[in-house]
Amino acid sequence: MNIKRVKKLSQAGMLFFAALFIFSQVSRVESADVTYWAEVMIEGNKTLNVASLLPDLIGVLDTTTGVTITDAEIAAECEIIGRNTTCWCGTGYVWSNNVCDNVNACCNAAVCVANISDFTPLCLPKVNVSLIGTMTGSASILPLNIEPAFRVLNAFNTFNGTGSVLTGLNTYQHNFTVNLFSVFSTAKVQSIVTTLLNNATFYSLNLKTLGMVYIEAPEEKLCYNARQQLNCTCIEQMDSCMWQMTRDSESPMTLGPGSQVMLSDVCTTTSTVTLLSTNGFWSGTYSCLFTTKNIAHMAMAPIAIALLPEVINVTATPPTADCTSTPTATVVLNCTIETSIETYTAKLKIGADEQVPTTQVSNGIIMYTASFSIDCAAATKPRSYDASCTLENTRYQLRNRTIKLPVIYPGDGFCAQEVIADRTWPKTKDNETATLYCTEVGKQGVYTRKCNGNTWADEICLCVKAVLNTITSQASDFEKGLGATQEIAAYIFESLRNNTAEEGGNGIGDVRAAVSVFETMKSASANMPLGENLLENFLESASSMLNISWDVGDKTVTNNLATQYLASVENLMYSIRINNSNGYNSSNIQLGICRAGSSCNQSVFNVDVGLNATADLVKTMGIQNLADRMPKLGYEHALFPSIVVSTTAENRSSSTVNIKMAFQTEESGDMQCVFWNVTEERWSTDGCEYVKNPGGTAYCECNHLTSFSMLMSKFAVSLPFLDQLTYVGLGISICSLIVYIIIEGLVWKTVVKSSLSYFRHTALINISLCLLLADISFLASAFPSILSETACLILVVAKHYFFLAMFFWMLSLSIMLAYQLIFVFSHISKKVYMIIGYTLGYVCPTLTVAATYVYYDQTKQVEYFSVKTCWLTYQSAMVGSIYAFLFPVGFIVFANICSMVVVIATVLKPSGAEADKKADKESAKAVIKVILFLTPVFGGTWVLGFLVFIMDDFTQFTTILVQYAFTIVNSLQGFFILLTGCFAEKRVRDEILRIVMGKPAKDGK
């Protein structure tokens, strides 16, 4: 801080006064402007009205610093007579903390008689700062010593007691507020709190302050589904920080890392929270708190969001349009949402008929209603109509919900209206499912019932305890980042356990709710690690779900729920971090833990489980009463034990795993060991073997690796020696491709003489390079279990891209060849071919892979890749990222085969005189030569891959034969390219021989 004193002040001196503002310091935390301080000293008896000259300084620019004066006023004045100094602050200013801390007599005094004129700044603008205190103690009224303790603070304004309440035995809570006109030192206030707490009648004392933190937040309403960042800055460094959000009258909820929230890592003086996707869920008041010991500095800001309803319920009355006896059918369409502060424009639509509905608000629900007339004589007679509700907010953003409205025509099958208990099932079309809302007290959800022909199926009750729906919502909040703390996680699992422990009180709807909580918390664990303190409540609640019958008359429902249950329990168990726990046993689930070692042996429900693999942690879990509920595809007549065993190894260093499960058996017949294939969602014997010892002890031994045939298969395949054939073939292929690329570099100038040879060899080099990189990527991902998720993703993208690039270069080669054969007298220039080749070869696969990744990353319904196979996913017909590989490859292989047919047709075309048997024989040889030469470079062998994809019944010999054939032929594709693209061409052979023999090149070559 530089201070200059002007001894002789004139009008010119006042201009110099403006320059003094560059020697300054920042003093206002609540403003984006910077305050500069300057001192003017008037000596002797000269008097000057400085205030009258200040307006002339406004707008003055100092060219050396770029500072422009926007305002100027007197902050403090001092009168110095001899050794006596009397100072006072200007209007709207108070003493700085520097003055107050060093000259206590001046603190809170209007005029200070002390030598303080050298203090800079002397006075500061008034700012409103509040200390909101909460004190607990034995006194029934607010202790009298609290107010005097805080009166010593600089710029003290008021003290107000805001209420007292009895909170426990001889324990009272007292609330108070201290208002100041200045910021303060946190250390000074903490010393006051510490002194007060030395009193035995004080149990606790905590303060929250306003005015010490500046928050940056938008004032305008935000768009729905936008990204928004909030920033907070504290004027002092604190120990920690946190963010909270309050909605309406709810209690504040702490924000944590989640799928929709991102927090800054460091937060001692600054903190940032980013809302990744703004919606109605995030509309509320945000608070940032910087904390040290008993003091939390905070700032608050409301965030308004242009809302769209998170849930839109669309129902039709009647739910099916009945056209059996009338030319028209009347249907009333209802659209309901929760009440909102947003004003919506609604439109209801059935088919092409759109109407503006009427609106009713009742009991927290907004209902939009419109009546429609269905034309039963429509020529197309659609089986159903789309019935939709579209809502538009004030920022012109839309949200839509569509349902199907079935139509019953004369002659159609239907189920007649039927009453069961207090439920009336409406007339419903064949193969449609009717839905009714639950009416039981304390229950939410629906009943469903399917119409099969003219007969109703059994009711399926999906009603859920209302409290479990609340827990599901809490878990959803946690996953998003609202209330994402370890304490809230523990509360969720404790609540789940308490509300599922009731014997006979759970239904299949409750099981689905619990499974939903498990799945949500598993997703949340990616951002907020879950600790072992959750283990007991998690396993007890999961165990309770197995104490009830899941039979609802529909095996598909039971099987799907069992599959979801197993996956959710396994995944959540894998996500929970184990530190000191040795396991836990509940009635239906037993968990054993092994720590660092090369083997692990555990016993769950009398089944001995041994695992040979070096890992940091091994979790072995036995689940009772689940196997019979799982799908039995392929094993419908088998007898399953009641126990399912699950073992996971964390941070495994070995690539192979051997798992043995030993048990006593007295059953006779064919015994098989099966594992649950999570991708295929069925039991499989692949890689598992049943061994029975003479003493009656039997065990299952499983071992799984990755094979090359997985690229074109729906599921990971395990057949004898298939993996070994894969790796040997790829090794040969990689070496062959390297040799081929080197040879091309050596013979290029000699061999490439014509445009046709230039096109061919350019394509072959790029095909070889892409295949080489694809094969290397495949080998690198051969053992997915030892790869991180990120490494696996990188290798999947690499394989996806380089295999597609190889095929697109094959396509460019076949297009060129077919063009030259069809249009003999029209030639393609090198420049045109290079543009076509590189566009097809590299741009097309780039766009395909990028679009596929972005699509599956955004939809979240199906993953782009599987960490278990390090390859694209297959879920069902036309569902899965594998189709982003199959469709381009299928199209290119088909196009290349067509080009090959054109080549063969050209070879077989008679030349006029050639009609004897010798000519036919030569033609047959030429066809065979064409097929042998073009099949490897046109990808013809990959036709076997599509057979691999289609044929998945491994009980058939042809399926196994195709698997082996595809693996052998395509793992050696690089070797075949070396043979057909290099050694099969005479000019290449001659040039290689010349180089080997050391002969000089001929003239002109």
Side-chain angles (χ1 to χ4, degrees):
M1 177 68 184
N2 294 318
I3 299 176
K4 294 189 177 181
R5 301 172 184 268
V6 182
K7 295 185 178 181
K8 294 183 179 180
L9 190 65
S10 62
Q11 297 295 334
M14 286 304 299
L15 294 178
F16 181 69
F17 174 77
L20 295 181
F21 278 76
I22 66 173
F23 303 103
S24 58
Q25 65 183 32
V26 178
S27 65
R28 294 190 183 185
V29 299
E30 78 280 3
S31 174
D33 296 330
V34 179
T35 301
Y36 295 86
W37 306 95
E39 177 183 319
V40 177
M41 178 174 285
I42 304 173
E43 296 183 353
N45 295 322
K46 187 173 182 179
T47 60
L48 180 66
N49 185 4
V50 177
S52 64
L53 300 176
L54 292 181
D56 295 334
L57 298 177
I58 307 302
V60 174
L61 171 66
D62 182 82
T63 57
T64 60
T65 62
V67 173
T68 300
I69 300 174
T70 59
D71 191 19
E73 58 189 19
I74 296 176
E77 296 180 78
C78 291
E79 185 179 72
I80 305 173
I81 301 175
R83 295 183 177 181
N84 297 321
T85 302
T86 302
C87 297
W88 58 94
C89 292
T91 303
Y93 283 79
V94 294
W95 300 117
S96 67
N97 287 328
N98 193 18
V99 173
C100 191
D101 292 341
N102 287 280
V103 186
N104 293 331
C106 294
C107 197
N108 293 314
V111 176
C112 178
V113 181
N115 187 18
I116 61 172
S117 60
D118 292 336
F119 284 54
T120 304
L122 190 59
C123 298
L124 289 172
K126 286 184 178 180
V127 292
N128 293 316
V129 176
S130 298
L131 291 80
I132 304 164
T134 300
M135 172 261 174
T136 60
S138 59
S140 60
I141 62 173
L142 185 67
L144 298 177
N145 60 337
I146 292 183
E147 181 177 352
F150 287 99
R151 274 191 173 274
V152 301
L153 293 176
N154 183 30
F156 178 88
N157 182 22
T158 61
F159 179 94
N160 298 306
T162 54
S164 301
V165 62
L166 179 66
T167 58
L169 184 62
N170 295 324
T171 302
Y172 295 85
Q173 177 179 300
H174 306 288
N175 301 315
F176 61 91
T177 301
V178 179
N179 295 311
L180 310 175
F181 282 137
S182 172
V183 296
F184 57 84
S185 164
T186 303
K188 184 173 183 178
V189 174
Q190 181 61 51
S191 67
I192 294 173
V193 173
T194 303
T195 300
L196 289 172
L197 287 175
N198 289 331
N199 189 324
T201 62
F202 282 61
Y203 299 158
S204 67
L205 177 57
N206 295 291
L207 297 173
K208 288 185 178 180
T209 75
L210 293 173
M212 300 285 287
V213 175
Y214 174 62
I215 186 170
E216 297 177 38
E219 296 180 359
E220 70 278 3
K221 182 180 284 189
L222 302 178
C223 285
Y224 186 89
N225 199 29
R227 184 186 177 101
Q228 182 61 49
Q229 179 174 298
L230 309 180
N231 302 309
C232 265
T233 303
C234 184
I235 67 170
E236 291 188 329
Q237 182 169 317
M238 304 291 280
D239 292 342
S240 62
C241 74
M242 65 186 299
W243 284 83
Q244 292 182 328
M245 194 267 276
T246 306
R247 292 181 296 202
D248 300 327
S249 58
E250 298 178 3
S251 299
M253 294 288 287
T254 301
L255 301 184
S259 61
Q260 296 183 8
V261 173
M262 185 168 61
L263 298 172
S264 55
D265 295 329
V266 180
C267 59
T268 54
T269 56
T270 60
S271 181
T272 298
V273 62
T274 303
L275 305 179
L276 303 178
S277 177
T278 57
N279 52 46
F281 181 85
W282 296 108
S283 183
T285 300
Y286 287 76
S287 305
C288 57
L289 294 91
F290 293 83
T291 306
T292 293
K293 296 182 180 179
N294 301 79
I295 301 173
H297 300 318
M298 64 182 292
M300 297 183 294
I303 298 296
I305 298 171
L307 306 180
L308 283 173
E310 298 302 314
V311 178
I312 302 176
N313 293 312
V314 180
T315 58
T317 306
T320 302
D322 189 356
C323 286
T324 56
S325 58
T326 57
T328 60
T330 300
V331 175
V332 177
L333 195 63
N334 297 314
C335 175
T336 59
I337 61 172
E338 292 184 357
T339 53
S340 173
I341 59 174
E342 185 73 26
T343 301
Y344 295 113
T345 300
K347 291 182 181 179
L348 300 185
K349 186 177 181 180
I350 294 183
D353 186 8
E354 184 176 83
Q355 297 187 26
V356 177
T358 60
T359 305
Q360 291 181 328
V361 181
S362 177
N363 298 324
I365 296 295
I366 302 175
M367 177 181 288
Y368 304 98
T369 304
S371 180
F372 294 84
S373 181
I374 305 299
D375 182 10
C376 296
T380 56
K381 292 191 180 301
R383 178 178 175 84
S384 63
Y385 287 95
D386 285 339
S388 65
C389 172
T390 302
L391 298 175
E392 182 180 17
N393 66 15
T394 53
R395 298 297 293 267
Y396 308 106
Q397 295 175 294
L398 303 176
R399 172 147 292 180
N400 175 277
R401 171 75 194 282
T402 301
I403 64 170
K404 291 292 183 182
L405 177 68
V407 183
I408 304 176
Y409 297 101
D412 286 347
F414 64 88
C415 296
Q417 178 178 303
E418 184 175 311
V419 178
I420 298 179
D422 60 344
R423 297 180 295 278
T424 301
W425 292 99
K427 185 177 182 179
T428 302
K429 189 172 183 176
D430 171 34
N431 205 35
E432 298 289 345
T433 300
T435 301
L436 295 177
Y437 289 105
C438 296
T439 57
E440 300 174 52
V441 178
K443 295 272 189 176
Q444 298 173 345
V446 296
Y447 288 90
T448 64
R449 199 178 186 197
K450 189 173 183 180
C451 175
N452 297 315
N454 297 315
T455 305
W456 283 107
D458 292 337
E459 288 182 322
I460 298 178
C461 176
L462 300 179
C463 299
V464 183
K465 297 174 186 175
V467 67
L468 286 183
N469 268 344
T470 301
I471 297 171
T472 303
S473 298
Q474 291 171 339
S476 178
D477 291 355
F478 185 95
E479 189 272 337
K480 291 183 177 76
L482 186 61
T485 64
Q486 293 294 338
E487 293 76 17
I488 296 297
Y491 173 77
I492 289 172
F493 282 103
E494 182 180 2
S495 300
L496 187 63
R497 176 183 180 179
N498 293 338
N499 290 282
T500 56
E502 182 181 350
E503 290 289 341
N506 300 313
I508 194 169
D510 299 318
V511 177
R512 291 178 57 170
V515 168
S516 174
V517 172
F518 296 157
E519 291 175 336
T520 303
M521 296 304 287
K522 165 62 177 71
S523 299
S525 67
N527 298 301
M528 173 61 70
L530 303 178
E532 63 183 15
N533 60 308
L534 311 175
L535 205 56
E536 180 178 342
N537 287 329
F538 160 51
L539 292 179
E540 286 291 351
S541 57
S543 177
S544 298
M545 296 294 98
L546 298 171
N547 288 330
I548 64 169
S549 172
W550 295 4
D551 187 10
V552 292
D554 188 338
K555 286 187 177 180
T556 302
V557 174
T558 303
N559 293 162
N560 290 342
L561 182 57
T563 301
Q564 284 181 274
Y565 175 91
L566 178 60
S568 65
V569 171
E570 278 188 327
N571 291 334
L572 187 54
M573 175 56 65
Y574 180 80
S575 300
I576 292 178
R577 295 187 175 182
I578 302 296
N579 292 320
N580 302 314
S581 175
N582 292 315
Y584 182 82
N585 293 338
S586 63
S587 58
N588 290 307
I589 300 179
Q590 292 186 358
L591 172 69
I593 303 293
C594 288
R595 288 177 171 80
S598 59
S599 63
C600 173
N601 296 286
Q602 289 287 339
S603 178
V604 289
F605 293 112
N606 297 320
V607 176
D608 296 326
V609 182
L611 182 142
N612 293 324
T614 302
D616 291 345
L617 190 73
V618 177
K619 303 172 184 174
T620 301
M621 182 169 56
I623 306 177
Q624 193 171 245
N625 299 324
L626 179 64
D628 285 338
R629 310 174 200 235
M630 302 288 289
K632 295 181 173 60
L633 182 64
Y635 299 93
E636 288 81 359
H637 303 293
L639 295 176
F640 280 81
S642 64
I643 299 169
V644 175
V645 176
S646 169
T647 299
T648 58
E650 298 181 9
N651 299 324
R652 191 155 42 88
S653 58
S654 58
S655 59
T656 59
V657 176
N658 292 305
I659 304 173
K660 291 183 179 181
M661 294 171 287
F663 51 90
Q664 294 291 329
T665 177
E666 297 178 358
E667 284 81 0
S668 59
D670 183 20
M671 302 293 291
Q672 288 183 301
C673 289
V674 294
F675 77 99
W676 181 251
N677 188 317
V678 294
T679 306
E680 192 174 352
E681 293 188 347
R682 69 175 184 178
W683 296 107
S684 173
T685 58
D686 296 342
C688 290
E689 181 183 6
Y690 175 77
V691 180
K692 187 171 183 179
N693 294 328
T697 300
Y699 65 87
C700 290
E701 184 172 7
C702 297
N703 184 8
H704 296 93
L705 291 173
T706 304
S707 64
F708 191 82
S709 62
M710 181 196 67
L711 283 174
M712 299 291 282
S713 179
K714 302 172 187 174
F715 319 108
V717 178
S718 180
L719 291 172
F721 303 110
L722 195 65
D723 304 304
Q724 290 79 359
L725 289 172
T726 297
Y727 305 137
V728 171
L730 286 177
I732 295 173
S733 183
I734 289 171
C735 294
S736 300
L737 290 169
I738 294 173
V739 170
Y740 175 76
I741 292 172
I742 294 173
I743 290 175
E744 280 285 355
L746 294 174
V747 305
W748 179 269
K749 291 183 179 179
T750 304
V751 171
V752 178
K753 294 296 184 179
S754 64
S755 295
L756 189 61
S757 63
Y758 178 85
F759 300 156
R760 179 172 180 269
H761 285 275
T762 298
L764 285 175
I765 286 179
N766 282 281
I767 289 170
S768 301
L769 181 62
C770 293
L771 180 58
L772 174 63
L773 295 173
D775 285 349
I776 292 172
S777 300
F778 187 90
L779 279 182
S781 63
F783 303 105
S785 57
I786 63 174
L787 296 175
S788 67
E789 185 173 341
T790 302
C792 188
L793 171 61
I794 293 172
L795 291 173
V796 171
V797 171
K799 289 187 288 185
H800 193 186
Y801 176 79
F802 288 121
F803 275 119
L804 284 182
M806 175 190 73
F807 277 103
F808 276 106
W809 271 107
M810 291 177 176
L811 179 62
S812 69
L813 178 60
S814 71
I815 290 174
M816 178 274 299
L817 183 58
Y819 182 88
Q820 293 293 344
L821 290 174
I822 295 172
F823 304 100
V824 178
F825 299 104
S826 176
H827 298 285
I828 303 175
S829 67
K830 290 183 180 181
K831 181 178 180 181
V832 172
Y833 177 74
M834 294 303 288
I835 293 173
I836 295 174
Y838 280 94
T839 301
L840 279 176
Y842 294 116
V843 176
C844 288
T846 299
L847 295 176
T848 303
V849 174
T852 305
Y853 176 78
V854 170
Y855 173 78
Y856 285 99
D857 184 60
Q858 293 296 320
T859 58
K860 302 294 184 183
Q861 297 176 352
V862 179
E863 296 293 334
Y864 169 69
F865 73 106
S866 168
V867 294
K868 296 183 180 295
T869 61
C870 267
W871 184 232
L872 305 175
T873 57
Y874 170 85
Q875 184 164 313
S876 60
M878 302 305 294
V879 179
S881 59
I882 187 70
Y883 290 101
F885 181 73
L886 294 178
F887 286 155
V889 171
F891 170 78
I892 292 171
V893 170
F894 175 76
N896 290 352
I897 290 175
C898 291
S899 297
M900 194 183 302
V901 171
V902 171
V903 175
I904 293 173
T906 303
V907 170
L908 294 177
K909 187 176 181 180
S911 60
E914 291 181 330
D916 55 13
K917 292 183 179 180
K918 183 178 180 181
D920 292 340
K921 187 175 181 180
E922 291 299 321
S923 296
K925 290 181 179 179
V927 169
I928 294 173
K929 186 177 180 181
V930 167
I931 294 173
L932 290 176
F933 272 52
L934 295 184
T935 296
V937 296
F938 277 11
T941 56
W942 284 73
V943 172
L944 292 170
F946 289 91
L947 296 178
V948 166
F949 184 79
I950 296 169
M951 302 167 64
D952 57 1
D953 183 2
F954 287 91
T955 62
Q956 300 294 323
F957 174 74
T958 52
T959 301
I960 298 174
L961 183 63
V962 168
Q963 290 280 349
Y964 281 108
F966 174 73
T967 298
I968 294 171
V969 172
N970 285 283
S971 65
L972 290 170
Q973 187 173 6
F975 176 68
F976 295 141
I977 289 176
L978 175 65
L979 292 179
T980 59
C982 185
F983 296 121
E985 187 173 344
K986 186 176 186 301
R987 282 191 298 177
V988 175
R989 292 198 308 270
D990 292 344
E991 182 62 16
I992 294 173
L993 183 60
R994 184 194 65 77
I995 294 173
V996 172
M997 299 296 294
K999 296 180 179 179
K1002 296 181 180 179
D1003 294 339
K1005 291 190 178 182

